[in-house]
């Protein structure tokens, strides 16, 4: 079974802090994604990566950056956390090819106070 | 523009009732994929089904069935004889080449509550 893990289920940070959210997948997938989920808005894509050291902006990249130094790991970075970044963050991975579905991690609920 | 609309924000039914979750999509592409995901209270999205745009055959899997109609750009999901364990948020999603094969566009989600 595909396994996507995220470093924390719950996280509380202060405004202005630098925050790292880590995601690891064990299926040798090329593609990895970071979404945020907010009520009434569904899931919105922040960034994705289709290979090591490669990244592309999604629909809402402002205030975020990412890092993919190894194939299995994709990190989301909030350079200076703000209260409007309080949200559920979901990581996903997918194998190469259009037909494959994305596999999701359990999510990290981040609260910025 | 790519768009997925799930007009039903919340649905609440009594156990054993049938329930249909609506999904309407927009895309200019002729080749695309549609998905349904389930998000139980634990938070992890679980893949339920994928359909490609060339396959309009409806699908049944146990108590779950999906009705794909290109003429109305809809991909509806029906649960027959609902159970409490079906309570979750359900997301419909679209992926097409125009948007980029990498991206999934999600609907807003429908929160389904099955009451005993």
């Amino acid at each position: 079974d595909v396994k996507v893990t995220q470093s924390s289920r719950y996280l509380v940070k202060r405004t202005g802090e630098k925050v790292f959210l880590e995601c690891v997948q064990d299926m040798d997938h090329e593609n990895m994604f970071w979404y945020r989920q907010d009520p009434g808005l569904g899931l919105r894509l922040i960034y994705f990566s289709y290979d090591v050291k490669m990244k592309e902006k999604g629909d809402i990249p402002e205030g975020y950056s990412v890092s993919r130094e190894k194939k299995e790991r994709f990190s989301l970075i909030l350079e200076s956390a703000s209260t409007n970044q309080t949200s559920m963050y979901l990581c996903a991975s997918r194998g190469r090819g259009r037909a494959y579905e994305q596999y999701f991690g359990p999510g990290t609920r981040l609260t910025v106070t | 523009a790519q768009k997925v609309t799930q007009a039903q924000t919340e649905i609440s039914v009594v156990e054993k009732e049938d329930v249909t979750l609506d999904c309407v999509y927009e895309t200019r592409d002729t080749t695309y994929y549609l998905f349904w995901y389930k998000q139980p209270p634990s938070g992890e999205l679980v893949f339920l089904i994928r359909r490609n745009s060339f396959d309009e055959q409806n699908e049944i899997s146990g108590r779950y069935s999906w009705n794909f109609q290109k003429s109305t750009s809809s991909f509806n999901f029906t649960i027959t004889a609902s159970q409490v364990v079906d309570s979750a948020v359900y997301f419909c999603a679209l992926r097409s080449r125009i948007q980029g094969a990498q991206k999934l566009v999600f609907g807003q989600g429908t929160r389904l509550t099955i009451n005993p």
Side-chain angles (χ1 to χ4, degrees):
Chain A
D1 280 351
V2 177
K3 189 81 172 175
V4 180
T5 56
Q6 295 183 228
S7 50
S8 305
R9 290 302 304 271
Y10 299 93
L11 210 53
V12 180
K13 295 291 182 180
R14 292 188 179 274
T15 301
E17 278 192 76
K18 189 169 186 176
V19 181
F20 292 86
L21 302 183
E22 306 286 342
C23 175
V24 177
Q25 50 95 3
D26 65 0
M27 283 302 292
D28 202 37
H29 283 170
E30 290 79 10
N31 304 295
M32 296 188 74
F33 307 82
W34 275 106
Y35 294 88
R36 65 177 280 175
Q37 180 182 359
D38 300 289
L41 297 177
L43 276 72
R44 293 178 292 165
L45 182 64
I46 304 171
Y47 267 97
F48 66 96
S49 169
Y50 50 90
D51 204 347
V52 175
K53 297 191 185 296
M54 307 303 289
K55 60 185 180 184
E56 282 199 29
K57 293 180 180 179
D59 299 317
I60 51 165
E62 297 77 20
Y64 303 94
S65 62
V66 291
S67 172
R68 191 153 180 216
E69 296 296 319
K70 293 184 178 181
K71 191 174 186 180
E72 67 271 17
R73 187 180 297 270
F74 191 35
S75 303
L76 179 69
I77 304 156
L78 287 65
E79 295 290 342
S80 179
S82 64
T83 54
N84 63 12
Q85 292 178 310
T86 291
S87 187
M88 169 72 90
Y89 290 87
L90 290 159
C91 176
S93 74
R94 183 171 67 84
R96 196 183 300 278
R98 294 193 212 107
Y100 289 97
E101 63 270 16
Q102 290 186 11
Y103 293 89
F104 284 83
T108 295
R109 186 165 293 283
L110 173 66
T111 302
V112 183
T113 61
Chain B
Q2 317 287 313
K3 188 177 180 182
V4 176
T5 301
Q6 295 179 254
Q8 303 149 308
T9 305
E10 294 191 33
I11 300 175
S12 181
V13 300
V14 177
E15 200 172 17
K16 297 182 183 172
E17 284 187 26
D18 299 346
V19 58
T20 295
L21 283 60
D22 297 333
C23 173
V24 175
Y25 62 92
E26 296 176 29
T27 179
R28 287 180 288 131
D29 205 351
T30 55
T31 301
Y32 52 88
Y33 296 87
L34 294 163
F35 301 78
W36 275 96
Y37 283 86
K38 174 182 180 180
Q39 186 180 41
S42 61
E44 184 173 333
L45 268 75
V46 177
F47 166 78
L48 294 178
I49 190 171
R50 176 189 68 245
R51 303 301 280 173
N52 73 52
S53 51
F54 297 111
D55 183 2
E56 284 194 73
Q57 209 167 13
N58 292 330
E59 181 151 340
I60 298 174
S61 176
R63 297 184 295 107
Y64 295 173
S65 62
W66 291 269
N67 182 5
F68 177 26
Q69 293 198 349
K70 288 179 76 170
S71 60
T72 56
S73 297
S74 65
F75 185 43
N76 296 337
F77 173 30
T78 297
I79 301 174
T80 304
S82 60
Q83 299 176 3
V84 173
V85 294
D86 295 326
S87 296
V89 180
Y90 290 86
F91 290 96
C92 180
L94 163 73
R95 185 167 78 233
S96 73
R97 288 180 304 176
I98 290 180
Q99 183 72 3
Q102 309 287 9
K103 295 184 180 181
L104 271 179
V105 176
F106 284 86
Q108 303 92 321
T110 298
R111 181 177 297 278
L112 176 64
T113 302
I114 310 297
N115 299 298

